[in-house]
Amino acid sequence: MMMWSLFGKLLLAFAVASTTAIATANAAALFDRTIYYHNTPPNAAGHYRYEFQTSNGITTKAAGNEHGAVGVVQYVSLEGIPITFTYVADANGYQPEGAHIPAVPLHVLRQLEYIRTHPAVDERRSRRW
């Protein structure tokens, strides 16, 4: 019984060591593909900035603080189309912009306008018999 227990512990130690080695190798491979990296972590006021570029053409830059962030991302799609989009994330939410992002359909804009211009329904009164 003690032999299996020791064997189980050795097997577990080998599995953990193998997983750690693989994860380290994968992280090293990812790092080798990064050709430029600059990071300014948040300072006392909460301002931060980073940018990086990889060997496969992905580039990103972003900056922000406690009130929001702005950034740009560039890459080449699987179809070979260069993609660039910018974004702002602030009190109004996440707002991406780019030529590849589909436009909001007209019927959705009309529905939002209808909701904006009509008063809210009093749920309690509307459910009374």
Side-chain angles (χ1 to χ4, degrees), residues 73-89:
V73 177
Q74 297 175 314
Y75 62 94
V76 177
S77 72
L78 294 175
E79 296 82 16
I81 301 168
I83 303 291
T84 299
F85 74 90
T86 59
Y87 63 89
V88 174

Side-chain angles (χ1 to χ4, degrees), residues 43-77:
N43 61 16
H47 299 275
Y48 70 91
R49 184 170 182 252
Y50 71 87
E51 56 187 284
F52 70 86
Q53 183 177 8
T54 62
S55 59
N56 64 354
I58 299 171
T59 302
T60 186
K61 296 178 183 180
N65 58 30
E66 68 275 6
H67 301 292
V70 295
V72 62
V73 177
Q74 297 175 314
Y75 62 94
V76 177
S77 72

Side-chain angles (χ1 to χ4, degrees), residues 74-117:
Q74 297 175 314
Y75 62 94
V76 177
S77 72
L78 294 175
E79 296 82 16
I81 301 168
I83 303 291
T84 299
F85 74 90
T86 59
Y87 63 89
V88 174
D90 58 14
N92 295 320
Y94 179 73
Q95 305 143 52
E97 291 184 11
H100 67 289
I101 299 174
V104 178
L106 184 58
H107 71 277
V108 172
L109 294 174
R110 280 190 247 146
Q111 290 170 345
L112 291 171
E113 182 62 21
Y114 180 88
I115 292 168
R116 188 184 70 75
T117 58

